[in-house]
Amino acid sequence: MPWLESVAFTLLTPVGTAHEPTGREGLAGLTLEMMQRGAGDFDSRAIVEELDFLGVERSSSVTTFHTSISMASMASVFEPTLRIAVSMLRTPHFPDDELEEARQSCLLELASIEDDPAQKCFKELKRIRFGETYGRSSLGTEEGLTAIDMDDCRSFWEQGVTSHGAILSVAGNFEWEKLIPLVEKLLGDWDAGQSPKPPNVVTIPQIKHIYHDSQQTHIALAYDSVPYQHPEYYRGRGLVGILSDGMSSRLFIEVREKRGLVYAVSASVHSLDRCGSVLCYAGTTAPRAQETLEVTLQTIQSLANGIEPDELSRLKSRVRTSLVMEQESSSSRSSQMAYDWIYLGRVPTRQEVLAEVEKLTCENMVEFFRNHPPSNWTMVTIGPEPIAFPSGAIADAVS
């Protein structure tokens, strides 16, 4: 991407919340926090000041199976920026006197979710849908965070943060011929460690209500679909686009505009290893929660009745625009390449993705919906009263 002035990279290792020992929920996130509190030649304060001096934008995250550090900088300071990120992974200090401060920060973040019912709804949806190990939140639990000591953090880092399965994706204005020897110098002797145990993710259909003294009800839904690496993924992704991409989407028009039931409604795709799901959310008032659920399900069911040509045309336009926008952001391109490598083991070209989207037709998307009807529903509601999930509604619609 020589037309840019920036470079971004994502440095990712295959260890996440699924690898936390039972009773230490939150260990992956707390360990990542401690890895950034001093590393290599910098102590905790110096590493922040150096990154600020270089003008680096950075983020870090923990998912079910991975820990990542992402940074973006001007091309002229790419090398020192990458050196700091590598030192966080390879030579963290783990200062004992900062563990309690880091723990309190994690506990505060965990507590803040109580003031965000929508996020709490999805946190609980993931927990019951994917089970104890794969449904863990990166925020951990109060009990787990309180039990963690520095030996836990060091052990988690030593065993999990290794080069085996690690991914470095770089996008932006850089020279490949200079990048290779730099990476070889910084990471060439990184210990491979042990191979993580292959996951076996399955979905668990379940309905749960959490009482909350409020005038609002939050509804989180999930049903099975195909994962990112599935040959027909783009048909499934296209259907979610028809449902939820933009203010002309079906959910927005049917549930919000025509019925006035919600202040927010959405759907998105979600892949966890080889397990694909569609996640939906609706926020509404308590008296209209049951109607909101039923109209949302009816709107999903309506995909079986056909896709309008103008809906497909809008979908393809949005995809083309998003691909162009990605080409103008080194950070977006870097993170997408890392995601592609995790699930596909390669990075598809922009032309390849466009070709897949252009293959979408109204007929093959409806055929996909009929061949992969929503199943294994999970629903979590938060509000004053539970609502009833109408069993058989989706099956009846596509039979």
Side-chain angles (χ1 to χ4, degrees):
M1 304 169 74
W3 55 91
L4 300 179
E5 295 186 15
S6 66
V7 181
F9 62 85
T10 298
L11 195 46
L12 180 150
T13 58
V15 62
T17 57
H19 306 98
E20 295 169 339
T22 299
R24 296 292 188 274
E25 293 80 9
L27 179 57
L30 186 52
T31 300
L32 176 59
E33 173 65 25
M34 292 306 301
M35 287 164 58
Q36 299 171 84
R37 291 181 176 240
D41 297 330
F42 302 96
D43 63 23
S44 183
R45 174 45 49 189
I47 206 166
V48 172
E49 292 176 350
E50 183 66 12
L51 289 172
D52 286 346
F53 174 76
L54 294 172
V56 176
E57 295 182 0
R58 63 269 194 186
S59 63
S60 59
S61 64
V62 169
T63 64
T64 306
F65 299 117
H66 294 90
T67 292
S68 68
I69 294 176
S70 300
M71 296 186 182
S73 69
M74 298 297 289
S76 58
V77 296
F78 168 60
E79 180 173 338
T81 303
L82 181 60
R83 286 181 181 277
I84 292 174
V86 169
S87 70
M88 290 177 176
L89 289 183
R90 298 198 60 185
T91 56
H93 296 173
F94 289 114
D96 291 317
D97 60 347
E98 296 204 19
L99 177 61
E100 282 307 311
E101 182 181 317
R103 188 199 315 277
Q104 291 306 315
S105 176
C106 292
L107 286 169
L108 284 173
E109 188 175 0
L110 176 64
S112 70
I113 203 170
E114 295 300 321
D115 297 326
D116 187 345
Q119 187 181 356
K120 182 178 179 180
C121 213
F122 273 109
K123 175 175 175 283
E124 188 61 17
L125 181 81
K126 179 182 176 184
R127 191 188 69 78
I128 68 171
R129 181 167 177 78
F130 300 112
E132 173 58 29
T133 300
Y134 303 126
R136 289 174 181 163
S137 166
S138 60
L139 298 176
T141 64
E142 182 176 353
E143 295 77 14
L145 288 167
T146 304
I148 294 168
D149 60 27
M150 191 61 88
D151 287 341
D152 292 323
C153 293
R154 291 195 181 95
S155 177
F156 191 77
W157 167 73
E158 289 172 353
Q159 296 176 21
V161 184
T162 67
S163 65
H164 187 93
I167 295 171
L168 171 64
S169 62
V170 184
N173 188 351
F174 68 96
E175 296 180 47
W176 181 259
E177 293 74 16
K178 292 182 179 179
L179 174 66
I180 297 304
L182 175 62
V183 172
E184 182 67 30
K185 182 178 180 181
L186 296 177
L187 298 169
D189 60 348
W190 194 7
D191 183 20
Q194 298 180 345
S195 301
K197 182 181 178 182
N200 181 26
V201 182
V202 295
T203 55
I204 305 169
Q206 199 170 158
I207 308 294
K208 180 176 181 179
H209 175 72
I210 300 173
Y211 172 77
H212 182 62
D213 187 10
S214 169
Q215 297 300 312
Q216 298 179 344
T217 295
H218 303 266
I219 306 169
L221 295 164
Y223 59 88
D224 283 0
S225 186
V226 298
Y228 188 51
Q229 57 269 60
H230 192 279
E232 294 184 306
Y233 167 78
Y234 284 99
R235 295 185 184 183
R237 174 63 186 86
L239 289 173
V240 173
I242 298 295
L243 282 176
S244 183
D245 285 1
M247 297 175 69
S248 300
S249 65
R250 288 196 189 183
L251 284 175
F252 191 89
I253 290 175
E254 296 296 329
V255 186
R256 175 169 165 155
E257 294 296 293
K258 289 186 178 178
R259 311 291 185 99
L261 290 169
V262 299
Y263 50 86
V265 62
S266 63
S268 60
V269 293
H270 178 272
S271 288
L272 190 59
D273 191 57
R274 291 173 178 78
C275 184
S277 298
V278 174
L279 310 182
C280 306
Y281 169 77
T284 183
T285 59
R288 308 196 72 180
Q290 187 66 50
E291 184 182 1
T292 297
L293 172 63
E294 292 169 1
V295 174
T296 299
L297 293 176
Q298 290 165 9
T299 305
I300 295 171
Q301 294 169 16
S302 71
L303 294 171
N305 301 328
I307 306 295
E308 297 297 326
D310 61 336
E311 289 181 305
L312 180 60
S313 179
R314 286 196 296 269
L315 171 71
K316 291 184 176 181
S317 293
R318 285 193 296 271
V319 173
R320 293 189 198 102
T321 301
S322 67
L323 287 173
V324 170
M325 297 295 284
E326 184 182 295
Q327 294 300 307
E328 297 178 357
S329 168
S330 55
S331 296
S332 296
R333 187 60 182 147
S334 169
S335 61
Q336 182 60 50
M337 289 194 303
Y339 185 81
D340 287 339
W341 200 267
I342 290 171
Y343 286 99
L344 305 178
R346 66 186 185 89
V347 178
T349 64
R350 176 172 170 266
Q351 289 72 23
E352 186 178 347
V353 175
L354 274 175
E356 290 293 334
V357 173
E358 293 302 332
K359 291 178 186 175
L360 296 178
T361 66
C362 297
E363 291 75 20
N364 65 29
M365 291 171 69
V366 172
E367 180 185 13
F368 174 90
F369 187 79
R370 290 179 172 274
N371 291 336
H372 302 274
S375 61
N376 280 342
W377 286 87
T378 307
M379 181 175 80
V380 172
T381 55
I382 295 180
E385 298 288 342
I387 56 177
F389 188 88
S391 60
I394 296 295
D396 293 342
V398 300
S399 60

Short mmCIF file of all heavy atoms in Angstrom, two decimals, residues 92 126 294 332:
data_model
loop_
_atom_site.label_atom_id
_atom_site.label_comp_id
_atom_site.label_asym_id
_atom_site.label_seq_id
_atom_site.Cartn_x
_atom_site.Cartn_y
_atom_site.Cartn_z
N PRO A 92 8.57 -9.25 28.67
CA PRO A 92 7.82 -8.39 29.62
C PRO A 92 8.45 -8.46 31.01
O PRO A 92 9.02 -9.47 31.39
CB PRO A 92 6.42 -9.02 29.60
CG PRO A 92 6.65 -10.46 29.26
CD PRO A 92 7.82 -10.47 28.31
N LYS A 126 -23.01 -15.47 24.91
CA LYS A 126 -21.82 -16.23 24.53
C LYS A 126 -21.52 -17.32 25.56
O LYS A 126 -21.18 -18.44 25.20
CB LYS A 126 -20.62 -15.27 24.43
CG LYS A 126 -19.32 -15.96 24.05
CD LYS A 126 -18.16 -14.97 24.02
CE LYS A 126 -16.85 -15.70 23.73
NZ LYS A 126 -15.69 -14.78 23.79
N GLU A 294 -41.16 -11.44 18.18
CA GLU A 294 -41.91 -12.12 17.12
C GLU A 294 -41.70 -11.46 15.76
O GLU A 294 -41.54 -12.15 14.75
CB GLU A 294 -43.41 -12.14 17.50
CG GLU A 294 -43.68 -13.04 18.71
CD GLU A 294 -45.08 -12.87 19.27
OE1 GLU A 294 -45.85 -12.07 18.70
OE2 GLU A 294 -45.40 -13.54 20.27
N SER A 332 -7.02 -1.30 9.31
CA SER A 332 -8.08 -2.24 8.92
C SER A 332 -7.52 -3.39 8.10
O SER A 332 -7.90 -4.55 8.30
CB SER A 332 -9.15 -1.50 8.11
OG SER A 332 -9.79 -0.53 8.90
#
